[in-house]
Amino acid sequence: MDARKANIYKFLSGDKQYIIPVYQRIYSWEIEECKRLWFDIVDMQKKNKNGHFVGSIVSITENDSPSDMSKFTIIDGQQRITTLMLLLLALRDYAFIHREEKSINWKKINNSFLKNPDEDDDSQYKLLLTETDKDILISLIEKRPIDENLNSRLISNYNYFFSNIKNMDLSLQDIYEAIGKLQIVNINLDRTSDEPQVIFESLNSTGKELSESDLIRNFVLMGLDNKQQKDIYKNIWRPMEQLFRYEKQTLLMDRFFRDYLTMKLARIPKLDKIYEEFKMYTNNCEFSTLEDLCKDLYMYARYYTNMIFEQGSNKNLINLYKKIKYLKMEVAFPFLLKIHYDFERNLINEDELVSIIKLCISYVFRRNICDIPTNSLNKTFATLKNEINVDDYINSIKAFFILKDDYKIFPNDEKFSSALKVKDIYHMRIRNYILSSLENFNNKAPINIENYTIEHIMPQTKNLSNVLKKELGKNYETVQKKYLHTIGNLTLTAYNSEMSNKSFSEKWK
């Protein structure tokens, strides 16, 4: 290991290239991180400080001979070096536009810190990012047109820096000097004597900088040779990541890995131990190669994203996924992953799959109506796969639910009906689900509940009209209090304001 202090210009100067390997996450710094960097630069220059430490960059030497360009793989620090490249890009472009300003040379920035002018193809770029990020950064360097609808932090952060340079908090010369004062510690590793995975984990031991899914990806791919890394990332891992939509990709992938492990292990990993549990799982899993494990992850990720995004080719399943979303049934995902897998293996047919999902929905919904605490549901669904008898699949699951009592009970029709009649439905989080289900049951022309409002047939006002008091009877106050927000007093209407506090007889005209 060789650790040296350097400024950014020294780090980037010379015929060298830094490569972000495929197992690293895509560029993820937000505007907030860029604001802090910009504040530090302005503050440093205005207070005439000698320098500012921005962190460490850990790399592995891939090629470092006198006759060839030096190439390094970055295993930690890619976010800060990418952000600094965006800052230099914005400075170069502003200086190019304002070429009358002679204090800095845009060509020097371009040919010393952004590109290797004597190299060809990808080798001409100082920094190569992964996948889509790579193309976007190269387009920025080459000033190529970029789709204005493209959602990318590279573009938004570049625009942030360009805007701040344009606002002239500092002169171009001051900005250029300030960037040169930014200090890093460059830690360079030797593959033959250092252990990159161990060092990487040590650098990210708090789990704050990288998500659990980031750590898992790095663990899976880092130990492979370059060809295996690229093949598995391109053909399996990246397609899996793209199943999870951009805006919430990290959050949803963390949840997926937790639910995947719960399904495999029949127990629930702690939120901050998903990565550690995954590593232990790989030591004793059923897969002989990491490629087979990745294929399995990709398969289950398809089931998972179909459920959370309510998509797929089967309309019956999509409708059930919508109900799952309304009921916020994430606790059931580990078991639902299992039955989707068994469906694809032809252990159950489509009707049986639908029947099992409906059974799970009914279980969660009935318990909600009957006010049975939900804190046991995650453990119930985590272990439910152990109850499956493949020779009598459906009945074994039904038996599990029927035989449960106490806090795991499946409320029967009598208990459910009694609870539903007096339940305060109006203030329930799932009230729209309930009313929509009732309205659209066997309805050949389903309605969109969002186009309607909820009307209290017996109005909420305490100042009931004499007609309403008479219709409700002498105990009208007790009746109103007991039934006001119950299912029997609620309906959907597009004419809520017209109905107002009218009597029953007037509303039904």
Side-chain angles (χ1 to χ4, degrees), residues 109-197:
I109 297 174
N110 191 71
N111 295 334
S112 297
F113 312 128
L114 301 177
K115 298 182 71 173
N116 298 306
D118 296 328
E119 302 294 337
D120 298 319
D121 301 323
D122 283 351
S123 295
Q124 66 184 294
Y125 303 108
K126 294 283 186 182
L127 180 65
L128 282 185
L129 303 182
T130 62
E131 290 299 309
T132 304
D133 282 351
K134 171 187 172 182
D135 294 334
I136 295 173
L137 183 60
I138 289 176
S139 293
L140 287 170
I141 292 172
E142 300 296 348
K143 301 181 183 179
R144 296 172 186 163
I146 299 176
D147 183 356
E148 60 182 18
N149 296 318
L150 187 62
N151 195 356
S152 169
R153 293 184 180 92
L154 288 165
I155 298 171
S156 58
N157 291 352
Y158 165 85
N159 289 334
Y160 169 80
F161 286 129
F162 190 91
S163 175
N164 277 276
I165 293 169
K166 183 179 179 180
N167 291 338
M168 298 301 285
D169 290 333
L170 297 172
S171 69
L172 295 184
Q173 179 64 29
D174 280 339
I175 296 171
Y176 182 80
E177 288 181 0
I179 295 173
K181 293 179 183 178
L182 297 176
Q183 302 290 319
I184 64 166
V185 171
N186 182 21
I187 304 172
N188 192 241
L189 308 179
D190 185 339
R191 285 191 187 276
T192 59
S193 57
D194 298 315
E195 297 184 71
Q197 179 67 33

Side-chain angles (χ1 to χ4, degrees), residues 245-258:
R245 294 175 187 170
Y246 179 84
E247 294 80 5
K248 295 183 178 180
Q249 186 182 85
T250 298
L251 173 65
L252 293 177
M253 288 199 72
D254 282 359
R255 290 179 181 174
F256 163 68
F257 281 113
R258 190 189 194 200

Side-chain angles (χ1 to χ4, degrees), residues 50-102:
N50 292 326
H52 177 76
F53 179 64
V54 293
S56 61
I57 296 176
V58 184
S59 59
I60 304 172
T61 301
E62 301 294 352
N63 179 22
D64 190 19
S65 64
S67 58
D68 296 311
M69 179 177 66
S70 299
K71 292 191 176 185
F72 306 91
T73 295
I74 292 183
I75 66 169
D76 189 70
Q78 67 134 324
Q79 302 294 326
R80 60 181 61 95
I81 189 59
T82 303
T83 304
L84 290 167
M85 292 290 282
L86 293 173
L87 174 56
L88 284 167
L89 262 170
L91 182 61
R92 179 206 68 175
D93 290 349
Y94 190 84
F96 175 79
I97 294 171
H98 298 276
R99 291 190 290 278
E100 71 280 1
E101 173 63 63
K102 303 297 183 181

Side-chain angles (χ1 to χ4, degrees), residues 135-291:
D135 294 334
I136 295 173
L137 183 60
I138 289 176
S139 293
L140 287 170
I141 292 172
E142 300 296 348
K143 301 181 183 179
R144 296 172 186 163
I146 299 176
D147 183 356
E148 60 182 18
N149 296 318
L150 187 62
N151 195 356
S152 169
R153 293 184 180 92
L154 288 165
I155 298 171
S156 58
N157 291 352
Y158 165 85
N159 289 334
Y160 169 80
F161 286 129
F162 190 91
S163 175
N164 277 276
I165 293 169
K166 183 179 179 180
N167 291 338
M168 298 301 285
D169 290 333
L170 297 172
S171 69
L172 295 184
Q173 179 64 29
D174 280 339
I175 296 171
Y176 182 80
E177 288 181 0
I179 295 173
K181 293 179 183 178
L182 297 176
Q183 302 290 319
I184 64 166
V185 171
N186 182 21
I187 304 172
N188 192 241
L189 308 179
D190 185 339
R191 285 191 187 276
T192 59
S193 57
D194 298 315
E195 297 184 71
Q197 179 67 33
V198 175
I199 293 171
F200 174 82
E201 290 181 8
S202 176
L203 289 165
N204 293 279
S205 59
T206 63
K208 293 181 180 179
E209 288 193 11
L210 292 177
S211 69
E212 298 294 303
S213 53
D214 287 329
L215 291 166
I216 289 171
R217 180 186 60 246
N218 290 6
F219 169 73
V220 170
L221 297 176
M222 186 182 287
L224 302 174
D225 61 45
N226 287 338
K227 184 179 185 306
Q228 285 179 305
Q229 280 180 8
K230 291 177 181 178
D231 287 346
I232 291 178
Y233 182 78
K234 179 181 179 181
N235 298 317
I236 305 173
W237 201 276
R238 182 58 178 164
M240 178 179 72
E241 287 182 330
Q242 290 175 325
L243 294 173
F244 296 85
R245 294 175 187 170
Y246 179 84
E247 294 80 5
K248 295 183 178 180
Q249 186 182 85
T250 298
L251 173 65
L252 293 177
M253 288 199 72
D254 282 359
R255 290 179 181 174
F256 163 68
F257 281 113
R258 190 189 194 200
D259 289 339
Y260 175 85
L261 288 171
T262 300
M263 182 264 303
K264 291 287 187 178
L265 303 173
R267 59 180 175 79
I268 307 166
K270 293 181 179 178
L271 282 171
D272 60 346
K273 298 294 182 182
I274 299 171
Y275 170 54
E276 295 301 324
E277 290 276 11
F278 185 86
K279 285 202 299 181
M280 288 189 287
Y281 167 70
T282 59
N283 291 332
N284 299 291
C285 69
E286 67 267 37
F287 306 106
S288 58
T289 67
L290 285 173
E291 182 176 1

